[in-house]
Amino acid sequence: IITALQRAGIRLAVEERNVMNTKENEKHDEAMHQREVLLRVKTLRKVELFASLTDTELNALAERLRFSPFAKGNIITKQGDERSHWLYIVINGEAEVYLETPNGGRRTVRTLASGSFFGEMGLMTGAPRAASVIAKTDVECYRLDKEVFEDILRARPTIVEEITHILVTRQAE
């Protein structure tokens, strides 16, 4: 094929590329990690559940959060699920909390935006999910696992009273 093209006087287009190399090293990786931890701490400070934590406690918590993205329309948690004992903190996007009715419909309870959290009841009590949560837009969350949360409670038992107050308020809603 190349010979036939050359015979006909047709030249092949030469692909042009620019290659940029970034030299990443441990120092760069550590700087990126610290930037992410600071962003997480800033987010945690906005969450009423963690308002009483010290900077040291917030840093320790931020180190152990997991980034959890969801696409628009994804079910984040399902009403009645007994296995997912995680607390989610919304950092970007919107999610809708709804209850599934016995006739197969659903009733919206609230809309969650940046700084909102959900899943604290299952995390604290081990009870099945009381409501479903669906991503209204693309949603980015931080997920706090039960083991991490238990470590926080052991280190600072007084936080249980604050969480209990929040649980009672949400249960009433």
Side-chain angles (χ1 to χ4, degrees), residues 1-12:
I1 294 173
I2 293 173
T3 306
L5 290 172
Q6 287 174 340
R7 247 191 337 261
I10 301 172
R11 296 180 49 158
L12 292 177

Coordinates of all heavy atoms in Angstrom, one line a residue, residues 1-12:
I1 N 0.8 -1.2 0.0 CA 0.0 0.0 0.0 C 0.9 1.2 0.0 O 0.6 2.2 -0.7 CB -1.0 0.0 1.2 CG1 -2.0 -1.1 1.1 CG2 -1.7 1.3 1.3 CD1 -2.9 -1.3 2.3
I2 N 1.9 1.2 0.8 CA 2.8 2.4 0.9 C 3.5 2.6 -0.5 O 3.6 3.8 -1.0 CB 3.9 2.2 2.0 CG1 3.2 2.3 3.4 CG2 4.9 3.3 1.9 CD1 4.0 1.9 4.5
T3 N 3.9 1.6 -1.1 CA 4.6 1.7 -2.4 C 3.6 2.3 -3.4 O 4.0 3.1 -4.2 CB 5.1 0.3 -2.9 OG1 5.9 -0.2 -1.9 CG2 5.9 0.4 -4.1
A4 N 2.4 1.8 -3.4 CA 1.4 2.3 -4.4 C 1.1 3.8 -4.1 O 1.0 4.5 -5.1 CB 0.1 1.5 -4.3
L5 N 1.1 4.2 -2.9 CA 0.8 5.6 -2.6 C 2.0 6.4 -3.0 O 1.9 7.5 -3.6 CB 0.6 5.8 -1.1 CG -0.8 5.2 -0.6 CD1 -0.8 5.3 1.0 CD2 -1.9 6.0 -1.1
Q6 N 3.2 5.9 -2.8 CA 4.4 6.7 -3.2 C 4.5 6.8 -4.8 O 4.8 7.8 -5.3 CB 5.7 5.9 -2.8 CG 5.9 6.1 -1.3 CD 7.1 5.2 -0.8 OE1 7.5 4.3 -1.4 NE2 7.6 5.6 0.4
R7 N 4.1 5.7 -5.4 CA 4.1 5.8 -6.9 C 3.1 6.8 -7.4 O 3.3 7.5 -8.4 CB 3.6 4.4 -7.4 CG 4.7 3.7 -8.2 CD 4.2 2.4 -8.9 NE 3.0 1.8 -8.5 CZ 2.9 0.7 -7.7 NH1 4.0 0.2 -7.2 NH2 1.8 0.2 -7.3
A8 N 2.0 7.0 -6.7 CA 1.0 7.9 -7.1 C 1.3 9.3 -6.6 O 0.6 10.3 -6.9 CB -0.4 7.5 -6.6
G9 N 2.4 9.5 -5.9 CA 2.8 10.8 -5.4 C 2.0 11.3 -4.2 O 2.0 12.5 -3.9
I10 N 1.4 10.3 -3.5 CA 0.7 10.7 -2.3 C 1.5 10.4 -1.1 O 2.0 9.3 -0.9 CB -0.6 9.9 -2.2 CG1 -1.5 10.1 -3.5 CG2 -1.4 10.2 -0.9 CD1 -2.7 9.2 -3.5
R11 N 1.7 11.5 -0.3 CA 2.5 11.4 0.9 C 1.6 11.1 2.1 O 0.5 11.6 2.2 CB 3.3 12.7 1.2 CG 4.3 12.9 0.1 CD 5.0 14.2 0.3 NE 5.5 14.2 1.8 CZ 6.5 14.9 2.2 NH1 7.1 15.8 1.4 NH2 6.9 14.8 3.4
L12 N 2.1 10.2 3.0 CA 1.3 9.9 4.3 C 1.5 11.1 5.2 O 2.5 11.7 5.3 CB 1.9 8.7 4.9 CG 1.6 7.4 4.2 CD1 2.3 6.2 4.9 CD2 0.1 7.1 4.1

